[in-house]
Amino acid sequence: MDMEELYETAKAKLYTVRTSRNGKMGHVAAALVTDRGNIYTGVALDLPSSIGFCAEHSAIASMVTDGEYKIDKIIAVYETGEVLPPCGRCRELINQVGEDNYHCEIGLPDNRTAELDELLPERWDAKYFI
């Protein structure tokens, strides 16, 4: 699956819902494909009191629930259709879920991509890999 198909898969999952307490859900959707070719999706929950999680977290949790850990490609899409780069927390989650994920392809704005190692160049855990 190429990044454009993954983008369309994520975009199809967008459904913004506003909660009664100024929260928002489904306004960011993510899609990932594993090394086995399986596709997982998720949406963001942005709720008051810092409760919630990113769309990438949701997609990754679904993947892990099915016993997979290696991400080949991942992309997140905002409700306007714009591609969002993963936040720092998501980048670290992608890395920690599977060591090989350090080389997964990340969808970025303007039809660009980068491997995770380009977005996380200074590993905090490098001393463990000496």
Side-chain angles (χ1 to χ4, degrees):
M1 172 171 277
D2 67 22
M3 197 58 80
E4 181 62 30
E5 292 171 309
L6 206 55
Y7 168 84
E8 292 298 334
T9 300
K11 189 175 172 187
K13 297 297 181 181
L14 289 168
Y15 65 92
T16 302
V17 175
R18 298 193 183 278
T19 68
S20 62
R21 296 187 178 183
N22 298 318
K24 208 154 90 162
M25 301 179 291
H27 60 295
V28 180
L32 67 83
V33 63
T34 67
D35 64 327
R36 297 180 193 167
N38 294 317
I39 299 165
Y40 296 93
T41 60
V43 297
L45 278 70
D46 187 8
L47 304 170
S49 301
S50 299
I51 297 172
F53 45 82
C54 298
E56 295 95 330
H57 286 208
S58 180
I60 290 167
S62 182
M63 173 189 74
V64 170
T65 299
D66 278 353
E68 293 198 66
Y69 309 97
K70 187 170 187 312
I71 301 169
D72 187 43
K73 296 180 177 96
I74 188 168
I75 194 167
V77 181
Y78 188 61
E79 62 190 345
T80 60
E82 297 170 83
V83 173
L84 295 175
C87 70
R89 186 170 175 243
C90 287
R91 294 173 193 197
E92 193 58 47
L93 178 66
I94 293 165
N95 181 44
Q96 289 193 31
V97 165
E99 183 60 33
D100 292 335
N101 293 339
Y102 204 59
H103 298 289
C104 78
E105 186 178 1
I106 309 278
L108 298 173
D110 302 321
N111 294 315
R112 296 177 300 120
T113 64
E115 286 191 0
L116 182 61
D117 65 346
E118 296 173 71
L119 302 179
L120 283 177
E122 296 294 327
R123 292 185 66 142
W124 63 270
D125 61 351
K127 66 181 179 182
Y128 299 111
F129 297 99
I130 297 175

